[in-house]
Amino acid sequence: MTRSKVGAAVCGAVATAFITSLLSTSALAAPPVDLSKWSPEYVKSVAGTKDFDTAADCAKVTPLDYKGRVTLWYQGVFEGDPDILRQNYKEFFEAFRATYPNIVLEDQGITYNDLLDKFRTALLGNAAPMVVRLQILGGTEFAAKGYLQPLKPEDIGYTSEDFWPGAMKAVTWDGVTYGVPTNNETMGFIWNADVFKRAGLDPEKPPATWDEVVKYSKQIHDKLGISGYGLVARKNAGNTPYRFMPQLWAYGGGVFDEASSDPTYKEVELSSAQSKAALQASYDMYVRDKSVPVSALTNQQADNQPLFLAGQLGMMISHPSDYNVMLDLQKKATGADAEKAQTVIDNMRYGLIPAGPDGKRAVVFGGSNIHILKPEYVDGGKVDEPAAKALICMWTSPEWSLKLAWVGSNPGNLNGFLTKWMKTRLETTPFLDVTTSMLPYGVPFPALPESPEIMNIIVPDMLQNALTGAMTVDQSADDAAKKVKDLMAGGGL
């Protein structure tokens, strides 16, 4: 079966209930795309149908001759990111400085795993930047603590309907909007068809369920002596919840009821039988079957990529950008290693993330949002709002929200899907249609101030306790549930 046929096969189903819930939250105006028709075919049909003038649009927010200064912190482009993303970021900052030559921009890229802690420390010392772009689970924490200024798309020349309703929920706290989505993402399931074939599995058919992931991982390990599934369980690393939570939700579990259409976040569900079943699946792969990398406790996705390229890993969850990452890594290989890498690249396949025992499929509705700080927490005690809004207008424009999400994500501004760059992106980024088709299955992290601590600390701790044998699966889940309850009650950890 060809890649396009595989993509068509796995993308046929659409989570109608989730799309309906998204649409119900945005009744004031129609979004620029028809979310009810969302599919790879629809995305392709609208790409390249509308032109945009970024400079002209942002000039309506902040005049192009405005003189000012703005400081920015953001998640930078680092290891594991493809070269094209580095180039696009470089071009964005060049374009901003050319468009606004009289605005002095001081920007600092910080690694994903360091950004939240560095930002918290800066806030305590009143040394934060004027503008910060944070991962999607971070904004609510800082809005609830009073660090962020109210900021909505209308403040920078767009409408709230220009953005995914689920993304707008993530920048809203206590009825007030405190930021603008820059990009939104869902990942897909990647497998090596050659490894599948040599292990006696159908090379063009991914595991349909998480139970099959456990089974396939063991079969690959037992027959080929390599790791079957790229388990990630590192503490205080975003890669961990982004890969474990889809598994947890698919089994019917959750931290709260965040996977439901109308979550209340009232009851903690980590100690439920369904949540324990999801944790048991990871335990079975790591402890019982030893079919995943022994380094999973400290691995990030960047550690899985070279294993996959070397043919030492059969399956993993990641972005469409991993295809480009493999191409970049292959360029550095020589001789037999380069040939082996080409075989892996030729056999890369993408599909929907597996479902749970009852057919439920889920993925983290991820991405990032950009915010403006209150002056009293900023280094120097001042915020140049026109300069800050000029920067945010450009970053969240149809053009740059698309280009800065080129291979690993999707534009936060839905108009980005209409641009000529989206058409080029679809033509040059294999498997993008598959991962984009996961968006209807997306579940946002709970829109709570405590979410970063829950997802980056408590959930990975739960995994580590079970996988290291420090606690049983039941004890690990019960311990995590208690920690969440204590945290929500204000008792901390």
Side-chain angles (χ1 to χ4, degrees):
M1 186 182 294
T2 65
R3 180 184 70 79
S4 60
K5 289 181 179 178
V6 172
V10 296
C11 297
V14 175
T16 305
F18 185 73
I19 284 292
T20 300
S21 72
L22 288 182
L23 292 174
S24 67
T25 67
S26 185
L28 295 179
V33 295
D34 190 341
L35 301 182
S36 68
K37 295 180 180 179
W38 201 259
S39 67
E41 292 73 26
Y42 175 75
V43 172
K44 291 175 183 175
S45 73
V46 299
T49 60
K50 191 172 181 179
D51 293 324
F52 297 90
D53 186 333
T54 303
D57 290 341
C58 291
K60 299 173 184 176
V61 177
T62 301
L64 301 184
D65 60 356
Y66 179 81
K67 295 181 180 180
R69 172 179 171 269
V70 62
T71 54
L72 165 72
W73 286 4
Y74 66 101
Q75 179 192 332
V77 184
F78 294 97
E79 62 174 336
D81 291 315
D83 289 339
I84 189 173
L85 197 57
R86 292 182 178 82
Q87 181 61 32
N88 285 1
Y89 267 78
K90 179 176 179 289
E91 291 178 0
F92 168 76
F93 288 117
E94 290 174 348
F96 178 79
R97 291 181 170 101
T99 304
Y100 286 97
N102 298 317
I103 293 180
V104 176
L105 168 61
E106 299 172 17
D107 60 279
Q108 183 177 351
I110 303 168
T111 62
Y112 184 102
N113 295 332
D114 293 334
L115 179 55
L116 288 178
D117 286 342
K118 183 178 176 69
F119 186 53
R120 292 186 186 107
T121 300
L123 289 168
L124 294 176
N126 300 328
M130 298 179 196
V131 176
V132 64
R133 176 177 174 258
L134 297 171
Q135 45 266 61
I136 198 168
L137 61 77
T140 306
E141 171 190 343
F142 302 107
K145 292 178 178 178
Y147 293 125
L148 306 179
Q149 292 192 40
L151 176 71
K152 57 186 183 298
E154 287 76 7
D155 296 327
I156 53 166
Y158 307 118
T159 70
S160 295
E161 288 70 36
D162 287 331
F163 299 82
W164 282 94
M168 292 306 301
K169 289 180 181 178
V171 291
T172 301
W173 172 250
D174 202 21
V176 179
T177 302
Y178 288 94
V180 181
T182 59
N183 60 293
N184 294 113
E185 60 194 39
T186 47
M187 293 186 280
F189 194 83
I190 306 171
W191 74 98
N192 183 324
D194 178 61
V195 166
F196 269 42
K197 184 177 181 179
R198 290 189 287 115
L201 299 166
D202 186 335
E204 302 298 342
K205 185 178 180 182
T209 66
W210 279 101
D211 288 340
E212 286 191 350
V213 172
V214 176
K215 177 183 175 182
Y216 285 21
S217 186
K218 183 178 189 303
Q219 186 166 331
I220 290 169
H221 176 263
D222 290 351
K223 292 204 172 187
L224 303 180
I226 65 174
S227 296
Y229 174 64
L231 181 68
V232 173
R234 181 170 178 164
K235 184 176 177 178
N236 200 20
N239 290 164
T240 300
Y242 272 81
R243 282 155 184 81
F244 181 70
M245 293 307 295
Q247 181 177 328
L248 187 72
W249 293 325
Y251 275 94
V255 175
F256 304 98
D257 59 346
E258 66 273 7
S260 67
S261 59
D262 189 20
T264 63
Y265 310 131
K266 298 298 184 183
E267 299 294 328
V268 177
E269 299 183 1
L270 278 175
S271 57
S272 69
Q274 294 87 348
S275 294
K276 290 178 178 179
L279 184 57
Q280 183 70 46
S282 291
Y283 176 91
D284 289 346
M285 287 187 283
Y286 188 86
V287 180
R288 185 193 69 188
D289 301 335
K290 296 179 173 56
S291 66
V292 301
V294 68
S295 56
L297 297 178
T298 56
N299 274 1
Q300 302 182 78
Q301 178 57 19
D303 299 301
N304 282 332
Q305 291 163 342
L307 289 175
F308 191 89
L309 186 69
Q312 296 299 304
L313 181 65
M315 305 174 287
M316 60 184 182
I317 289 176
S318 201
H319 302 283
S321 59
D322 269 33
Y323 179 83
N324 296 77
V325 169
M326 297 302 159
L327 293 177
D328 291 343
L329 290 174
Q330 188 210 21
K331 294 175 184 176
K332 302 173 184 177
T334 58
D337 289 340
E339 294 179 10
K340 184 182 292 186
Q342 186 60 53
T343 299
V344 171
I345 291 170
D346 291 341
N347 282 278
M348 281 187 79
R349 301 290 186 272
Y350 276 65
L352 297 184
I353 290 177
D358 297 328
K360 184 174 184 178
R361 194 185 311 278
V363 66
V364 177
F365 186 85
S368 299
N369 306 310
I370 196 162
H371 312 273
I372 297 178
L373 278 293
K374 289 184 178 178
E376 57 264 38
Y377 301 107
V378 171
D379 188 12
K382 295 181 180 180
V383 172
D384 187 333
E385 288 196 24
K389 289 179 178 179
L391 176 65
I392 295 173
C393 177
M394 279 197 65
W395 196 305
T396 60
S397 66
E399 175 183 1
W400 288 107
S401 69
L402 185 286
K403 289 181 177 178
L404 294 176
W406 192 263
V407 291
S409 193
N410 290 284
N413 191 322
L414 292 171
N415 285 290
F417 289 104
L418 308 180
T419 66
K420 61 184 179 182
W421 299 290
M422 184 65 190
K423 185 176 178 64
T424 300
R425 186 172 174 242
L426 287 167
E427 293 169 350
T428 58
T429 306
F431 313 115
L432 178 64
D433 55 344
V434 180
T435 50
T436 299
S437 73
M438 281 297 303
L439 282 165
Y441 301 99
V443 178
F445 284 136
L448 298 168
E450 298 83 2
S451 276
E453 198 158 3
I454 292 170
M455 293 301 173
N456 288 342
I457 305 297
I458 296 178
V459 168
D461 264 352
M462 178 179 72
L463 273 167
Q464 297 238 348
N465 285 334
L467 301 186
T468 61
M471 299 180 184
T472 66
V473 167
D474 284 352
Q475 290 170 341
S476 300
D478 292 342
D479 175 71
K482 182 180 184 302
K483 287 177 178 175
V484 172
K485 291 176 183 177
D486 289 345
L487 182 65
M488 299 305 293
L493 297 180

